[in-house]
Amino acid sequence: MDAWLDATLKAVHVLAVVFWVGGMVFAHFVLRPSLEASGLEGPQRLRLMREVLRRFLRAVAVAVALVLVSGAWMVERAVSMVDATGGRFMMPWSWQVMTALGLAMTAVYVWVRLRWFAAMERALDAGQPPAAAAALAQVRRWVGVNIVLGLVVVAEAVAAAPSPRR
């Protein structure tokens, strides 16, 4: 049962991170340039991006919750196992890095959702495409920051994973 729970927690954690980071990479490097090349007028592109981002940001909220809960649960399980043996838990450096960067990514997500995406929606609702475009540019900038953070987290997880032995 314990091995099954550990594997499930790790799978949920990794899949949520992959969805979050992969979705940002797709939006930044595939969707956005494709929209620019599509021939859609600026206001149409902005409305489309609002709908795409609205759905994506909702899904990312679930992914963020899954990452935070599964990560905290895995750490708690490790602490409990060490405590049960009478040892003293020392969080590995790689876990500290992933935790710090994951919390930074969460803060950036909240900032994007509550500040810049909300500003874009307000501007579109008010019929102000230039203001909406400026807010979308900020979304793009901060998503770029989160992509870098996310890729560092993934690289750290891969580097910290035990290598198979021959």
Side-chain angles (χ1 to χ4, degrees):
M1 177 67 173
D2 282 348
W4 180 87
L5 180 57
D6 290 339
T8 300
L9 287 170
K10 188 178 283 188
V12 166
H13 193 77
V14 169
L15 291 171
V17 169
V18 166
F19 173 81
W20 185 6
V21 176
M24 289 187 300
V25 168
F26 170 79
H28 199 74
F29 295 107
V30 177
L31 177 61
R32 183 183 60 84
S34 297
L35 282 174
E36 289 177 5
S38 71
L40 290 174
E41 296 296 322
Q44 291 172 314
R45 283 196 318 256
L46 287 167
R47 287 191 298 275
L48 179 59
M49 282 304 295
R50 171 174 44 187
E51 293 308 314
V52 168
L53 287 172
R54 180 182 290 151
R55 287 169 176 77
F56 180 65
L57 291 172
R58 272 192 216 130
V60 169
V62 173
V64 168
L66 289 172
V67 167
L68 294 175
V69 168
S70 63
W73 198 347
M74 287 188 290
V75 169
E76 186 277 327
R77 288 181 57 74
V79 169
S80 294
M81 284 191 277
V82 170
D83 284 349
T85 64
R88 183 171 157 251
F89 180 75
M90 304 250 329
M91 186 180 287
W93 173 248
S94 60
W95 292 13
Q96 293 177 40
V97 170
M98 288 185 278
T99 299
L101 293 178
L103 292 173
M105 287 179 68
T106 300
V108 169
Y109 164 78
V110 170
W111 176 246
V112 165
R113 176 65 187 93
L114 297 180
R115 172 64 175 103
W116 296 113
F117 180 70
M120 183 181 122
E121 286 194 304
R122 283 191 305 275
L124 283 172
D125 291 343
Q128 300 170 339
L136 182 58
Q138 289 296 322
V139 169
R140 186 169 51 248
R141 173 178 290 139
W142 287 101
V143 165
V145 168
N146 250 4
I147 288 170
V148 171
L149 294 174
L151 293 176
V152 171
V153 168
V154 169
E156 182 62 34
V158 169
S163 299
R165 303 203 195 299
R166 294 184 194 234

